[in-house]
Amino acid sequence: RGLNDIPPKTKKILQLLRLRQIHNGIFMKANKATLNQLRKVEPYVMFGYPNLKSVRELIYKRGYGKVNKQRIPLTDNEVIEKALGSKGIICVEDLIHEIYTAGPNFKECANFLWPFKLSAPNGGMTEKKKHYIEGGMAGNRED
């Protein structure tokens, strides 16, 4: 929905989630604290549980790593090995597996991945202000 006219607390939560731009996406673990944060920013975000296919497509198509605070494309496994080699993650498939299974090094992997810059939905957003259950776009999609 954009970042203008957002209450300060909501804006802070979006910054903590690394969602500083419209149409950005991240991976995060669903625990009590993060679900409470998502509940507070629900009118401004869409979220759900990814399947293996969508995780793989996102990382291969739009995956960038954070190396020395710079956005580096994941063109070869060397980038991943340098950043996450100490954690036993040496290739893109290891990274995908760690993200999908929410393994022991999930936090490091998710933080290594730069927030995904997603494209706008085809045909635009139908009902931005309504919840997904009411036929809108915002909130938990649970699929």
Side-chain angles (χ1 to χ4, degrees), residues 4-5 18 21 27 30 36 42-43 72 85 91-92 95 107 140:
N4 292 343
D5 300 330
R18 299 185 302 152
Q21 272 184 321
F27 290 116
N36 281 337
E42 204 166 26
I72 307 294
C91 65
V92 179
L95 183 65
K107 185 180 169 190
N140 191 355

Side-chain angles (χ1 to χ4, degrees), residues 99-116:
I99 292 288
Y100 182 66
T101 58
N105 298 316
F106 175 86
K107 185 180 169 190
E108 290 82 3
C109 292
N111 195 38
F112 165 74
L113 284 171
W114 201 271
F116 299 99

Side-chain angles (χ1 to χ4, degrees), residues 113-139:
L113 284 171
W114 201 271
F116 299 99
K117 293 180 183 295
L118 306 171
S119 56
N122 287 350
M125 292 191 186
T126 50
E127 297 273 350
K128 272 200 290 195
K129 291 188 166 105
K130 282 188 180 174
H131 195 280
Y132 183 65
I133 296 167
E134 300 165 331
M137 301 293 274

Side-chain angles (χ1 to χ4, degrees), residues 7-43:
K9 193 171 207 167
T10 307
K11 192 180 268 193
K12 184 65 180 171
I13 291 171
L14 287 172
Q15 285 174 354
L16 288 172
L17 295 176
R18 299 185 302 152
L19 298 173
R20 292 183 164 91
Q21 272 184 321
I22 193 166
H23 301 307
N24 267 11
I26 58 163
F27 290 116
M28 58 188 269
K29 266 188 183 172
N31 57 32
K32 189 175 184 225
T34 56
L35 289 175
N36 281 337
Q37 286 180 331
L38 282 175
R39 203 167 292 123
K40 286 200 171 67
V41 297
E42 204 166 26

Side-chain angles (χ1 to χ4, degrees), residues 30-109:
N31 57 32
K32 189 175 184 225
T34 56
L35 289 175
N36 281 337
Q37 286 180 331
L38 282 175
R39 203 167 292 123
K40 286 200 171 67
V41 297
E42 204 166 26
Y44 304 94
V45 296
M46 298 174 211
F47 57 97
Y49 306 101
N51 57 19
L52 184 59
K53 180 177 175 258
S54 58
V55 172
R56 183 171 279 126
E57 282 179 3
L58 266 176
I59 291 176
Y60 274 117
K61 270 186 176 176
R62 299 180 184 269
Y64 285 83
K66 192 192 303 176
V67 181
N68 298 330
K69 297 182 180 175
Q70 292 183 317
R71 186 172 184 253
I72 307 294
L74 300 178
T75 48
D76 59 346
N77 293 330
E78 213 172 282
V79 177
I80 296 170
E81 193 171 354
K82 279 183 186 170
L84 300 169
S86 60
K87 307 276 188 266
I89 293 152
I90 55 169
C91 65
V92 179
E93 283 301 319
D94 288 348
L95 183 65
I96 291 167
H97 180 266
E98 193 70 25
I99 292 288
Y100 182 66
T101 58
N105 298 316
F106 175 86
K107 185 180 169 190
E108 290 82 3
C109 292

